[in-house]
Amino acid sequence: MRLRAHPIIALAAGLGLAACATTPSTDTTDTTRRAAFASTYQPAASVPTLIRGATVFDGEGAELANADVLMQDGRISAVGNNLAAPEGAAIIDGAGRFVTPGIIDAHSHLGAYPSPSINATSDGNEATQPNTAEVWVEHSVWPQDPGFLRAVAGGITTLHILPGSANLFGGRGVTLRPVLDAVTVQEMKFPDAPQTLKMACGENPSRVYGGRNSSPATGMGNVAGYRQAWANAQRYARRLEAADNGDGEPPDRDLELETLAGVLNGDIRLQWHCYRADEMANAIEISHEFGFEIAAFHHAVESYKIADMLREEGICSAMWADWWGFKIEAYDGIRENIPFVHEAGACAIVHSDSEVGIQRLNQEAAKAMADGNRAGLDITRAEAWTWLSRNPARALGIEDETGTLAAGRRADVVVWSADPLSSYAVAERVYMDGALIYERGAEIDPPSDFELGQAYTERAQ
Amino acid sequence: MKLLSALLMALAVATPAAAETVLINDGRVVTNGAAGIIENGDVLIVDGRISAVGANIAAPRGARVVEARGAFVTPGAFAAMSELGLSEISGSGAPNDADVDGDLVAAAMDSAAAFNPTVTAVAVTRIEGVTRAAIAPSSTNSMFGGRGALVSLDGQPDSVMRANAFMIVELGETGAARVGGSRAAMWPAFEAALRDAREYPTRYRSGQGGAVLNEIDAQALQPFARGQGMFLVHVESAADIRRIIRYQRANPSLRFVIHGGAEAWQVADELAAARIPVIVDPLVNLPSSFERLSARLDNAALLNAAGVTVAIAPAPGSVDAHQARLALQLAGNAVAHGLPWDAAFAAISRTPAEIFGVGGQLGRLERNFLADVVIWDGDPLQVTSAPTAVFIEGVEQPLVSRQTRLRDRYRPTANR
């Protein structure tokens, strides 16, 4: 992320450093309150594993022919040619196969909108007031959602769950590991992943609240709502800061302002649902006015119109390959949005926002790559893979841990039956932290309590 | 009888003025017919129809020759269920004929009357190789979703091929919800509606009225209730499918096609025996409702292997007005999960044409078939492929849409 010369950013950068400590903190200014709901994730047991002789996309944009990938102690140990297998290592024949980093979906509602989808399980949108920055979507996530297994079978090893988009401020998002036998959401939380804040531009907030004859009812109402909330948060953050410096009492805890202060001080990364170029530009103005960073625009159907601005600002765009037309703010969707953003040197991400789409994000990237190349670009399949792993890791603040096959990263690895930028490829093996968590064709116990003991006679895929 | 003749009539589309004589040379010709796939095959188009298919066809005098150079040449895709042309924008309170929530008119809803060939989605879809579509709106308050239509995607004013092509019926959870919340009420309501329709107009003129249907719905339903049209029934669970099979056995004049059928694989043999086609979505694999608990990715493959007629389209609930083009991706995913390629391509071209009663003129590259022909830059079921040429009834369509115009305006290389 590019650092901007801005007084409040400079302050935030300092606070951000303090908040990078991984130990639980009780500092007043620790707006993420790390001690609460801490991750209890434990990697599954793994053995050293060597995948030999595969075509490898390293997640950084390089394609390696006939390469080996070695995983040890849950981390990528080496990627190269003719690697030696450690004693007792599992050896996987990669001939004809493709190996990639695990896919990271930057925009999912699994667990919060789980299967089965009935009124009682619709848990993803606290659509009761325009600002619900106080809610945490992790408190809506049902670990038994059968969608987690389907996502893993599509090569997903990390997913970012967001609350819905009815509100200007929807609440905090959470980055999860798809732990298939998790009973609590804490077991799924990606260790030390920053929390996020979901905001929403455009039609959704103004439709929901305008429909109730309350503000916001318009685009200008949306922006006024954002700005007043950030102004309130600035005052709250100043009072926290002052109290930490021995100057007066800290303010009463306010969960809503705590989230916003967390964005101001850099602890919480902002994920902003915003379709239109002009609205994204307004959002960027607001970020300058109040001195916070936007990690990514989500849906970002018109990012192609402002790709240079997004590159300059260091803001990622999480996009669909071809969704369009389902509302007026999605009307200018084009198939080349992702490749045009990529071509401009901005950070392009393929996201799903769908329990169906999350199962084949590789195909969505393939479509975007092919459309870009037909439009005259020259995007390789390994470059396209950065949209699925490195770039979402960057937007979520976990790029030092996952998203590429660099030595030392968590061993989040997928072995594909064929070129994964094809309709016909399937994930054969999925590793998370070096542990084999999914193998196609293998008998899998029903992973969720919900599916256990249902009447069907053969296991549905 | 006016309605009946309208129902039975395959509305002939006038021969387009721009139809030319075209020889497509040396393609990998997917005929979808007895000839199978012809390598180095040629397709001759004359007056909007296929004139000849085979190897080494000589170009008639004045013919335009298109060199396919080994590329796939296929019939146009047929969107087996969509809301295409019924909506410019689905949400945002925009004018949208794809969603109905009134209850004045249900079975009588006429998709053909709402179809607009100029909405941007028609061109967006056409340039992806889809040349025909079955359309109907969704979300009614009744178990009857109205009369579907078959349309051409050539964007012309006369592009409704056939109105009254099928009757949409909800007979699963959704249908039950619309008659008070229980299948126990739904089935008697369905049967009563069919009786009302068969007894139209007598009981209505007598002043007795219908048991469950108003007069206009009874009138629209009548031909279908008499077996002169097809019921496109949305059901998902094996239990509901078995009930349809039993019902059809007891009422052999009625014709049912199942749309949805997430659990159809469990009753594949019975469906094959009953000759009931199924339109499936190969991506449905989540227990997203209690009627889809055993949804699985190889549903289409299992049904096909059992001899069931299988077409591919988005599942009820995901049918929309903008993404009918994804039929090709859906078919590719069916291949990834066991459906043979030929069956998968047929499931989005020939089979829908046959199910909807136009299989004699669409869905194959054979002599006298309408010349809906697409040339591709790769395997059409691969997500990375796209058409290089699209012909509808022999007229080559410009590969231009509002989306390509936006693309060209913002193309990065254009600024350098």
Side-chain angles (χ1 to χ4, degrees), chain A residues 222-267:
Chain A
N222 287 350
V223 171
Y226 307 135
R227 295 175 73 221
Q228 188 61 58
W230 287 116
N232 297 347
Q234 277 185 327
R235 189 178 55 202
Y236 185 78
R238 277 196 301 268
R239 290 179 63 193
L240 288 177
E241 176 73 11
D244 272 3
N245 294 332
D247 180 11
E249 287 292 301
D252 289 344
R253 275 189 78 181
D254 181 313
L255 297 182
E256 186 178 295
L257 292 171
E258 203 164 89
T259 296
L260 270 52
V263 175
L264 291 176
N265 74 17
D267 284 344

Tab-separated table of all heavy atoms in Angstrom, chain A residues 222-267:
chain	number	residue	atom	x	y	z
A	222	ASN	N	-25.952	9.356	1.150
A	222	ASN	CA	-24.918	8.366	1.478
A	222	ASN	C	-23.631	9.057	1.905
A	222	ASN	O	-23.046	8.743	2.945
A	222	ASN	CB	-24.615	7.485	0.253
A	222	ASN	CG	-25.713	6.487	-0.059
A	222	ASN	OD1	-26.645	6.300	0.716
A	222	ASN	ND2	-25.594	5.843	-1.208
A	223	VAL	N	-23.192	10.016	1.100
A	223	VAL	CA	-21.897	10.647	1.373
A	223	VAL	C	-21.956	11.441	2.680
A	223	VAL	O	-21.021	11.406	3.491
A	223	VAL	CB	-21.460	11.528	0.187
A	223	VAL	CG1	-20.226	12.349	0.544
A	223	VAL	CG2	-21.167	10.645	-1.027
A	224	ALA	N	-23.072	12.119	2.917
A	224	ALA	CA	-23.214	12.839	4.197
A	224	ALA	C	-23.135	11.861	5.364
A	224	ALA	O	-22.506	12.141	6.397
A	224	ALA	CB	-24.539	13.602	4.209
A	225	GLY	N	-23.750	10.714	5.197
A	225	GLY	CA	-23.720	9.701	6.261
A	225	GLY	C	-22.315	9.191	6.529
A	225	GLY	O	-21.914	9.028	7.692
A	226	TYR	N	-21.574	8.967	5.449
A	226	TYR	CA	-20.184	8.529	5.661
A	226	TYR	C	-19.393	9.611	6.397
A	226	TYR	O	-18.689	9.350	7.359
A	226	TYR	CB	-19.441	8.301	4.325
A	226	TYR	CG	-20.077	7.386	3.312
A	226	TYR	CD1	-20.142	7.755	1.961
A	226	TYR	CD2	-20.572	6.132	3.671
A	226	TYR	CE1	-20.679	6.922	1.008
A	226	TYR	CE2	-21.123	5.297	2.712
A	226	TYR	CZ	-21.180	5.700	1.384
A	226	TYR	OH	-21.712	4.885	0.436
A	227	ARG	N	-19.514	10.839	5.929
A	227	ARG	CA	-18.624	11.892	6.433
A	227	ARG	C	-18.917	12.207	7.890
A	227	ARG	O	-17.996	12.399	8.696
A	227	ARG	CB	-18.744	13.153	5.565
A	227	ARG	CG	-18.244	12.910	4.141
A	227	ARG	CD	-18.466	14.118	3.251
A	227	ARG	NE	-17.549	15.204	3.560
A	227	ARG	CZ	-17.906	16.484	3.588
A	227	ARG	NH1	-19.166	16.840	3.340
A	227	ARG	NH2	-17.023	17.409	3.870
A	228	GLN	N	-20.196	12.256	8.250
A	228	GLN	CA	-20.512	12.534	9.654
A	228	GLN	C	-19.975	11.427	10.555
A	228	GLN	O	-19.436	11.679	11.629
A	228	GLN	CB	-22.029	12.686	9.833
A	228	GLN	CG	-22.410	13.156	11.231
A	228	GLN	CD	-21.810	14.539	11.536
A	228	GLN	OE1	-22.056	15.505	10.831
A	228	GLN	NE2	-20.986	14.616	12.584
A	229	ALA	N	-20.115	10.191	10.079
A	229	ALA	CA	-19.630	9.065	10.893
A	229	ALA	C	-18.116	9.130	11.056
A	229	ALA	O	-17.585	8.895	12.145
A	229	ALA	CB	-20.033	7.747	10.246
A	230	TRP	N	-17.411	9.458	9.974
A	230	TRP	CA	-15.948	9.555	10.092
A	230	TRP	C	-15.551	10.732	10.980
A	230	TRP	O	-14.573	10.648	11.731
A	230	TRP	CB	-15.301	9.673	8.710
A	230	TRP	CG	-15.333	8.389	7.930
A	230	TRP	CD1	-15.984	8.154	6.765
A	230	TRP	CD2	-14.705	7.146	8.291
A	230	TRP	NE1	-15.795	6.847	6.376
A	230	TRP	CE2	-15.008	6.208	7.284
A	230	TRP	CE3	-13.909	6.734	9.370
A	230	TRP	CZ2	-14.567	4.879	7.310
A	230	TRP	CZ3	-13.457	5.421	9.398
A	230	TRP	CH2	-13.785	4.508	8.382
A	231	ALA	N	-16.305	11.816	10.911
A	231	ALA	CA	-16.002	12.951	11.793
A	231	ALA	C	-16.176	12.546	13.253
A	231	ALA	O	-15.337	12.851	14.111
A	231	ALA	CB	-16.912	14.140	11.442
A	232	ASN	N	-17.242	11.824	13.528
A	232	ASN	CA	-17.454	11.345	14.898
A	232	ASN	C	-16.314	10.415	15.325
A	232	ASN	O	-15.835	10.466	16.458
A	232	ASN	CB	-18.785	10.601	15.005
A	232	ASN	CG	-19.980	11.490	14.714
A	232	ASN	OD1	-19.853	12.718	14.668
A	232	ASN	ND2	-21.138	10.881	14.516
A	233	ALA	N	-15.906	9.579	14.385
A	233	ALA	CA	-14.849	8.618	14.714
A	233	ALA	C	-13.527	9.324	14.974
A	233	ALA	O	-12.753	8.907	15.842
A	233	ALA	CB	-14.698	7.599	13.578
A	234	GLN	N	-13.280	10.393	14.238
A	234	GLN	CA	-12.034	11.132	14.469
A	234	GLN	C	-11.987	11.679	15.899
A	234	GLN	O	-10.965	11.601	16.578
A	234	GLN	CB	-11.927	12.296	13.482
A	234	GLN	CG	-11.376	11.894	12.140
A	234	GLN	CD	-11.181	13.098	11.236
A	234	GLN	OE1	-11.942	14.059	11.320
A	234	GLN	NE2	-10.185	13.023	10.367
A	235	ARG	N	-13.125	12.230	16.340
A	235	ARG	CA	-13.172	12.778	17.699
A	235	ARG	C	-12.950	11.662	18.720
A	235	ARG	O	-12.206	11.810	19.683
A	235	ARG	CB	-14.511	13.482	17.919
A	235	ARG	CG	-14.582	14.279	19.205
A	235	ARG	CD	-15.899	14.997	19.342
A	235	ARG	NE	-17.002	14.050	19.221
A	235	ARG	CZ	-18.251	14.381	18.882
A	235	ARG	NH1	-18.558	15.627	18.635
A	235	ARG	NH2	-19.187	13.462	18.803
A	236	TYR	N	-13.602	10.529	18.485
A	236	TYR	CA	-13.466	9.388	19.392
A	236	TYR	C	-12.003	8.926	19.435
A	236	TYR	O	-11.442	8.672	20.511
A	236	TYR	CB	-14.392	8.269	18.911
A	236	TYR	CG	-14.480	7.045	19.790
A	236	TYR	CD1	-15.250	7.051	20.957
A	236	TYR	CD2	-13.822	5.862	19.439
A	236	TYR	CE1	-15.354	5.923	21.745
A	236	TYR	CE2	-13.918	4.730	20.224
A	236	TYR	CZ	-14.684	4.756	21.373
A	236	TYR	OH	-14.790	3.637	22.155
A	237	ALA	N	-11.390	8.838	18.244
A	237	ALA	CA	-9.995	8.379	18.182
A	237	ALA	C	-9.071	9.347	18.902
A	237	ALA	O	-8.126	8.935	19.579
A	237	ALA	CB	-9.560	8.221	16.715
A	238	ARG	N	-9.366	10.655	18.763
A	238	ARG	CA	-8.525	11.639	19.457
A	238	ARG	C	-8.632	11.480	20.972
A	238	ARG	O	-7.646	11.589	21.691
A	238	ARG	CB	-8.928	13.063	19.056
A	238	ARG	CG	-8.298	13.543	17.746
A	238	ARG	CD	-8.413	15.062	17.587
A	238	ARG	NE	-9.783	15.545	17.604
A	238	ARG	CZ	-10.536	15.702	16.504
A	238	ARG	NH1	-10.033	15.419	15.315
A	238	ARG	NH2	-11.761	16.140	16.595
A	239	ARG	N	-9.837	11.198	21.437
A	239	ARG	CA	-10.028	11.049	22.893
A	239	ARG	C	-9.331	9.783	23.400
A	239	ARG	O	-8.772	9.754	24.489
A	239	ARG	CB	-11.513	11.046	23.240
A	239	ARG	CG	-12.161	12.426	23.044
A	239	ARG	CD	-13.641	12.420	23.361
A	239	ARG	NE	-13.894	12.103	24.766
A	239	ARG	CZ	-15.109	11.792	25.243
A	239	ARG	NH1	-16.156	11.767	24.422
A	239	ARG	NH2	-15.269	11.514	26.516
A	240	LEU	N	-9.380	8.704	22.580
A	240	LEU	CA	-8.647	7.490	22.964
A	240	LEU	C	-7.157	7.780	23.048
A	240	LEU	O	-6.483	7.385	24.007
A	240	LEU	CB	-8.868	6.383	21.915
A	240	LEU	CG	-10.224	5.695	21.838
A	240	LEU	CD1	-10.209	4.694	20.680
A	240	LEU	CD2	-10.552	4.987	23.135
A	241	GLU	N	-6.688	8.467	22.050
A	241	GLU	CA	-5.265	8.772	21.968
A	241	GLU	C	-4.835	9.645	23.155
A	241	GLU	O	-3.814	9.386	23.792
A	241	GLU	CB	-5.002	9.495	20.632
A	241	GLU	CG	-3.604	9.975	20.408
A	241	GLU	CD	-2.634	8.842	20.114
A	241	GLU	OE1	-3.120	7.714	19.878
A	241	GLU	OE2	-1.419	9.071	20.163
A	242	ALA	N	-5.672	10.635	23.444
A	242	ALA	CA	-5.349	11.526	24.557
A	242	ALA	C	-5.299	10.760	25.874
A	242	ALA	O	-4.391	10.945	26.693
A	242	ALA	CB	-6.383	12.657	24.624
A	243	ALA	N	-6.262	9.861	26.063
A	243	ALA	CA	-6.298	9.104	27.311
A	243	ALA	C	-5.050	8.244	27.440
A	243	ALA	O	-4.484	8.091	28.530
A	243	ALA	CB	-7.561	8.239	27.357
A	244	ASP	N	-4.624	7.661	26.321
A	244	ASP	CA	-3.411	6.846	26.355
A	244	ASP	C	-2.196	7.698	26.707
A	244	ASP	O	-1.217	7.196	27.259
A	244	ASP	CB	-3.175	6.174	24.997
A	244	ASP	CG	-3.893	4.838	24.926
A	244	ASP	OD1	-4.607	4.498	25.900
A	244	ASP	OD2	-3.746	4.137	23.910
A	245	ASN	N	-2.267	8.987	26.388
A	245	ASN	CA	-1.157	9.894	26.717
A	245	ASN	C	-1.342	10.549	28.077
A	245	ASN	O	-0.676	11.532	28.391
A	245	ASN	CB	-1.019	10.968	25.624
A	245	ASN	CG	-0.587	10.365	24.300
A	245	ASN	OD1	0.078	9.333	24.280
A	245	ASN	ND2	-0.984	11.010	23.216
A	246	GLY	N	-2.276	10.027	28.851
A	246	GLY	CA	-2.470	10.549	30.197
A	246	GLY	C	-3.269	11.828	30.248
A	246	GLY	O	-3.281	12.520	31.256
A	247	ASP	N	-3.943	12.125	29.181
A	247	ASP	CA	-4.691	13.381	29.109
A	247	ASP	C	-6.184	13.077	29.129
A	247	ASP	O	-6.807	12.860	28.087
A	247	ASP	CB	-4.278	14.120	27.816
A	247	ASP	CG	-5.024	15.441	27.658
A	247	ASP	OD1	-5.683	15.868	28.627
A	247	ASP	OD2	-4.957	16.003	26.550
A	248	GLY	N	-6.752	12.966	30.309
A	248	GLY	CA	-8.186	12.780	30.454
A	248	GLY	C	-8.596	11.315	30.424
A	248	GLY	O	-7.799	10.410	30.202
A	249	GLU	N	-9.872	11.120	30.721
A	249	GLU	CA	-10.454	9.781	30.764
A	249	GLU	C	-10.754	9.301	29.352
A	249	GLU	O	-11.130	10.104	28.492
A	249	GLU	CB	-11.769	9.819	31.551
A	249	GLU	CG	-11.599	9.974	33.048
A	249	GLU	CD	-10.970	8.745	33.676
A	249	GLU	OE1	-11.567	7.642	33.538
A	249	GLU	OE2	-9.878	8.860	34.270
A	250	PRO	N	-10.623	7.998	29.103
A	250	PRO	CA	-11.050	7.495	27.791
A	250	PRO	C	-12.559	7.609	27.671
A	250	PRO	O	-13.268	7.581	28.680
A	250	PRO	CB	-10.608	6.029	27.798
A	250	PRO	CG	-10.485	5.661	29.240
A	250	PRO	CD	-10.112	6.924	29.972
A	251	PRO	N	-13.048	7.757	26.467
A	251	PRO	CA	-14.500	7.800	26.289
A	251	PRO	C	-15.111	6.446	26.627
A	251	PRO	O	-14.418	5.432	26.641
A	251	PRO	CB	-14.668	8.120	24.801
A	251	PRO	CG	-13.401	7.627	24.166
A	251	PRO	CD	-12.318	7.787	25.202
A	252	ASP	N	-16.406	6.438	26.929
A	252	ASP	CA	-17.100	5.163	27.103
A	252	ASP	C	-16.929	4.342	25.835
A	252	ASP	O	-16.911	4.890	24.730
A	252	ASP	CB	-18.601	5.391	27.335
A	252	ASP	CG	-18.859	5.993	28.703
A	252	ASP	OD1	-17.945	5.939	29.556
A	252	ASP	OD2	-19.975	6.521	28.891
A	253	ARG	N	-16.817	3.039	26.019
A	253	ARG	CA	-16.673	2.202	24.815
A	253	ARG	C	-17.899	2.359	23.938
A	253	ARG	O	-19.032	2.293	24.406
A	253	ARG	CB	-16.484	0.731	25.173
A	253	ARG	CG	-15.048	0.372	25.469
A	253	ARG	CD	-14.858	-1.116	25.607
A	253	ARG	NE	-14.806	-1.806	24.319
A	253	ARG	CZ	-14.668	-3.129	24.208
A	253	ARG	NH1	-14.604	-3.883	25.289
A	253	ARG	NH2	-14.615	-3.681	23.018
A	254	ASP	N	-17.658	2.555	22.679
A	254	ASP	CA	-18.726	2.663	21.692
A	254	ASP	C	-18.322	1.742	20.542
A	254	ASP	O	-17.362	2.017	19.820
A	254	ASP	CB	-18.841	4.112	21.204
A	254	ASP	CG	-19.964	4.290	20.192
A	254	ASP	OD1	-20.044	3.462	19.253
A	254	ASP	OD2	-20.739	5.251	20.327
A	255	LEU	N	-19.008	0.635	20.426
A	255	LEU	CA	-18.562	-0.391	19.488
A	255	LEU	C	-18.570	0.107	18.048
A	255	LEU	O	-17.746	-0.288	17.236
A	255	LEU	CB	-19.425	-1.646	19.621
A	255	LEU	CG	-19.364	-2.352	20.978
A	255	LEU	CD1	-20.239	-3.611	20.952
A	255	LEU	CD2	-17.936	-2.722	21.354
A	256	GLU	N	-19.512	0.984	17.759
A	256	GLU	CA	-19.583	1.509	16.397
A	256	GLU	C	-18.359	2.376	16.088
A	256	GLU	O	-17.671	2.196	15.090
A	256	GLU	CB	-20.873	2.325	16.271
A	256	GLU	CG	-21.179	2.831	14.891
A	256	GLU	CD	-22.507	3.582	14.896
A	256	GLU	OE1	-23.549	2.944	15.140
A	256	GLU	OE2	-22.482	4.804	14.688
A	257	LEU	N	-18.085	3.309	16.999
A	257	LEU	CA	-16.949	4.208	16.774
A	257	LEU	C	-15.620	3.469	16.902
A	257	LEU	O	-14.631	3.836	16.256
A	257	LEU	CB	-17.016	5.375	17.766
A	257	LEU	CG	-18.188	6.326	17.510
A	257	LEU	CD1	-18.316	7.322	18.655
A	257	LEU	CD2	-18.021	7.061	16.178
A	258	GLU	N	-15.609	2.413	17.699
A	258	GLU	CA	-14.384	1.637	17.857
A	258	GLU	C	-13.958	1.032	16.517
A	258	GLU	O	-12.777	1.001	16.175
A	258	GLU	CB	-14.657	0.524	18.878
A	258	GLU	CG	-13.444	-0.014	19.566
A	258	GLU	CD	-13.852	-0.813	20.804
A	258	GLU	OE1	-14.096	-2.027	20.678
A	258	GLU	OE2	-13.942	-0.213	21.888
A	259	THR	N	-14.952	0.557	15.769
A	259	THR	CA	-14.623	-0.010	14.454
A	259	THR	C	-14.065	1.068	13.529
A	259	THR	O	-13.038	0.871	12.864
A	259	THR	CB	-15.880	-0.634	13.823
A	259	THR	OG1	-16.302	-1.727	14.641
A	259	THR	CG2	-15.594	-1.135	12.423
A	260	LEU	N	-14.724	2.210	13.512
A	260	LEU	CA	-14.259	3.263	12.610
A	260	LEU	C	-12.882	3.783	13.038
A	260	LEU	O	-12.016	4.049	12.188
A	260	LEU	CB	-15.273	4.403	12.551
A	260	LEU	CG	-16.355	4.281	11.471
A	260	LEU	CD1	-17.065	2.961	11.499
A	260	LEU	CD2	-17.347	5.429	11.568
A	261	ALA	N	-12.685	3.907	14.343
A	261	ALA	CA	-11.366	4.335	14.834
A	261	ALA	C	-10.312	3.309	14.438
A	261	ALA	O	-9.155	3.657	14.150
A	261	ALA	CB	-11.407	4.521	16.350
A	262	GLY	N	-10.704	2.054	14.397
A	262	GLY	CA	-9.782	1.000	13.969
A	262	GLY	C	-9.345	1.165	12.526
A	262	GLY	O	-8.221	0.818	12.160
A	263	VAL	N	-10.230	1.679	11.702
A	263	VAL	CA	-9.843	1.971	10.319
A	263	VAL	C	-8.917	3.176	10.292
A	263	VAL	O	-7.886	3.184	9.607
A	263	VAL	CB	-11.085	2.216	9.441
A	263	VAL	CG1	-10.672	2.640	8.038
A	263	VAL	CG2	-11.955	0.961	9.390
A	264	LEU	N	-9.272	4.198	11.084
A	264	LEU	CA	-8.440	5.412	11.095
A	264	LEU	C	-7.023	5.106	11.559
A	264	LEU	O	-6.065	5.689	11.064
A	264	LEU	CB	-9.078	6.472	11.999
A	264	LEU	CG	-10.387	7.097	11.502
A	264	LEU	CD1	-10.943	8.047	12.561
A	264	LEU	CD2	-10.183	7.825	10.176
A	265	ASN	N	-6.885	4.179	12.522
A	265	ASN	CA	-5.526	3.916	13.022
A	265	ASN	C	-4.842	2.778	12.278
A	265	ASN	O	-3.729	2.379	12.623
A	265	ASN	CB	-5.533	3.700	14.542
A	265	ASN	CG	-6.097	2.348	14.953
A	265	ASN	OD1	-6.209	1.422	14.140
A	265	ASN	ND2	-6.453	2.220	16.216
A	266	GLY	N	-5.506	2.235	11.243
A	266	GLY	CA	-4.841	1.251	10.398
A	266	GLY	C	-4.957	-0.190	10.856
A	266	GLY	O	-4.416	-1.091	10.222
A	267	ASP	N	-5.660	-0.421	11.974
A	267	ASP	CA	-5.823	-1.802	12.441
A	267	ASP	C	-6.804	-2.578	11.576
A	267	ASP	O	-6.696	-3.792	11.428
A	267	ASP	CB	-6.395	-1.822	13.872
A	267	ASP	CG	-5.362	-1.466	14.915
A	267	ASP	OD1	-4.162	-1.493	14.581
A	267	ASP	OD2	-5.760	-1.170	16.063
